[in-house]
């Protein structure tokens, strides 16, 4: 029988929310800064922020990098938000270390800064973080891949399709979580690429898009054509990896796992392109972020993290139609009901 992971996203009422937004926040302005404005994940995030801002009377301005990894545009957006007198900023940082000085300036200017999805490095550089437990998201797909392979896992050939050379925290946590779940000894939990396990074929960069995923997969196949497990940073990269594998007739010989849970990704799970994906909930991250800025504007209240964690956990569920023993999951029917994009 399939088990369902009870996510924080759908248990918020049971857990209690650490802040209460006012019925109206007229005159309050906020900024949403995402990595790009084309990835469905960030499109849904913007949708959630926009709807909640309209509901509460918050004026919302949205900004995005040109591509995933474009930190300069994000720094410029923060400077604009400070100059415009915004009360708060919601940001998914492309460079989680490099953005910190700009964030510090915003906080000194009296703005509430909330990291969405991607924790800053260090995490307390922001006032709060609303995110998926990305380490758990990676661990779930790692456990699923190992359980699915069974005894063959000990001889696996694993490829890692990562995000950017800057190794943002979301990239590191998903990567290291997968390794923990799959049974690979992690070196420094805070960085990618220092592991010694011979099953690791290599790492390549995708910039979180389909073209990057295809190119990275082609590069790693040249290194070892016997790859049979692929960890991808997100579902667009997974789709690109599948196309590269299909081009050489290997699409049925490789397990692809990913993180996101967007509707196109869940569809790809249903169709067998992706074996399993960890679903996250960007609309909830953004809407709760706007509520937090409205509450802060009213009386200075700052959001509190989920008990036992250093961030507000918005939940994660493993989506697959091939459940593995000992790994909680939901099927694509339930995943479709909860997907986005």
């Amino acid at each position: 029988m399939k088990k369902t992971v009870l996510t924080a996203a759908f248990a918020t009422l049971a857990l209690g929310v650490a802040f209460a937004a006012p019925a109206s926040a007229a005159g309050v302005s906020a900024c949403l800064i995402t990595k790009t404005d084309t990835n469905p994940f960030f499109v849904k995030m913007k949708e959630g922020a926009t709807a909640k801002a309209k509901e509460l009377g918050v004026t919302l301005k949205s900004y995005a990098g040109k591509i995933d990894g474009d930190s300069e545009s994000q720094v410029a957006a923060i400077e604009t938000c400070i100059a415009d007198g915004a009360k708060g900023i919601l940001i998914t940082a492309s460079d989680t270390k490099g953005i910190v000085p700009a964030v510090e300036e915003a906080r000194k200017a009296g703005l509430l800064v909330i990291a969405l999805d991607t924790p800053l490095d260090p995490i307390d550089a922001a006032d709060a973080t609303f995110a998926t437990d990305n380490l758990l998201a990676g661990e779930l797909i790692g456990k699923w891949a190992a359980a699915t392979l069974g005894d063959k896992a000990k001889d696996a050939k694993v490829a890692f399709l990562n995000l950017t050379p800057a190794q943002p925290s979301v990239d590191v946590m998903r990567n290291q979580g997968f390794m923990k779940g799959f049974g690979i000894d992690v070196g420094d939990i805070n960085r990618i690429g220092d592991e010694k396990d011979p099953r690791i074929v290599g790492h390549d960069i995708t910039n979180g898009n389909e073209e990057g995923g295809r190119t990275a997969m082609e590069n790693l196949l040249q290194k070892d054509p016997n790859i049979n497990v692929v960890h991808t940073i997100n579902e667009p990269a997974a789709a690109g990896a599948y196309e590269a594998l299909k081009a050489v007739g290997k699409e049925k010989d490789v397990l692809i796992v990913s993180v996101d849970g967007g509707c196109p990704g869940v569809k790809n799970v249903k169709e067998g392109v992706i074996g399993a994906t960890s679903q996250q909930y960007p609309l909830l991250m953004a809407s709760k972020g706007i509520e937090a800025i409205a509450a802060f504007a009213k009386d200075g209240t700052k959001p509190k993290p989920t008990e036992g964690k250093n961030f507000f956990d918005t939940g994660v569920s493993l989506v697959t139609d091939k459940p593995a023993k000992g790994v909680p999951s939901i099927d694509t029917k339930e995943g479709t009901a909860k997907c986005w994009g």
Side-chain angles (χ1 to χ4, degrees):
M1 182 181 295
K2 294 184 182 179
K3 299 179 182 178
T4 299
V5 177
L6 179 61
T7 70
F10 298 99
T12 302
L13 292 178
L15 293 173
V17 179
F19 49 86
S24 176
V28 173
S29 63
C31 293
L32 173 67
I33 306 172
T34 55
K35 295 177 184 178
T36 72
D37 58 7
T38 55
N39 186 310
F41 183 85
F42 301 123
V43 171
K44 181 55 66 171
M45 189 174 278
K46 183 177 179 180
E47 180 183 315
T50 300
K52 184 58 67 171
K54 183 177 181 181
E55 176 187 331
L56 298 180
V58 172
T59 300
L60 179 67
K61 293 184 178 180
S62 299
Y63 305 86
K66 297 179 180 67
I67 60 170
D68 206 322
D70 178 14
S71 187
E72 289 184 6
S73 294
Q74 293 193 319
V75 170
I78 290 174
E79 293 170 350
T80 299
C81 295
I82 295 171
D84 286 350
K87 197 64 182 177
I89 294 173
L90 307 177
I91 183 168
T92 59
S94 286
D95 185 341
T96 50
K97 292 181 180 178
I99 203 74
V100 168
V103 169
E104 288 175 345
E105 289 302 312
R107 294 179 70 185
K108 287 178 183 176
L111 283 73
L112 180 76
V113 180
I114 297 175
L116 300 183
D117 177 55
T118 305
L120 301 188
D121 186 2
I123 193 169
D124 60 4
D127 290 291
T129 301
F130 290 4
T132 306
D133 186 333
N134 282 293
L135 194 68
L136 175 59
E139 193 170 349
L140 285 170
I141 54 176
K143 285 182 175 179
W144 180 86
T148 299
L149 286 175
D151 290 341
K152 294 180 180 179
K154 67 180 184 297
D155 298 314
K157 298 286 187 179
V158 187
F160 289 85
L161 273 56
N162 302 326
L163 191 56
T164 67
Q167 296 193 11
S169 55
V170 65
D171 199 5
V172 174
M173 287 189 289
R174 292 179 187 179
N175 193 291
Q176 304 296 276
F178 172 88
M179 291 189 189
K180 287 180 64 179
F182 196 78
I184 293 172
D185 288 336
V186 174
D188 181 348
I189 193 71
N190 297 310
R191 63 183 292 245
I192 294 170
D194 64 344
E195 301 81 20
K196 305 300 182 183
D197 196 304
R199 292 176 291 179
I200 298 174
V201 171
H203 301 260
D204 210 326
I205 300 304
T206 68
N207 289 313
N209 60 53
E210 187 168 339
E211 181 180 355
R214 183 168 53 250
T215 300
M217 190 73 253
E218 289 169 349
N219 292 341
L220 290 169
L221 282 170
Q222 288 179 9
K223 190 172 182 180
D224 190 334
N226 295 314
I227 290 167
N228 62 350
V229 179
V230 181
H231 166 269
T232 62
I233 181 63
N234 63 12
E235 291 157 0
Y242 179 82
E243 290 304 315
L245 290 164
K246 187 176 180 181
V248 293
K250 291 182 175 294
E251 74 276 13
K252 295 181 180 179
D253 303 326
V254 181
L255 282 180
I256 300 176
V257 294
S258 197
V259 178
D260 261 353
C263 295
V266 174
K267 183 173 182 287
N268 276 344
V269 172
K270 185 176 182 178
E271 294 177 352
V273 172
I274 301 172
T277 192
S278 287
Q279 186 173 63
Q280 48 184 349
Y281 305 101
L283 190 149
L284 185 69
M285 295 177 199
S287 62
K288 290 299 179 186
I290 292 296
E291 286 183 0
I293 291 173
F296 177 72
K298 180 184 179 183
D299 56 19
T301 300
K302 292 186 178 182
K304 296 180 181 179
T306 300
E307 186 176 353
K309 299 187 178 184
N310 59 358
F311 64 98
F312 187 94
D313 188 353
T314 51
V316 63
S317 300
L318 182 74
V319 180
T320 184
D321 284 333
K322 297 178 180 179
K325 186 177 180 180
V327 188
S329 66
I330 61 177
D331 61 21
T332 54
K333 182 177 180 180
E334 187 172 351
T336 299
K338 296 177 179 179
C339 73
W340 39 268

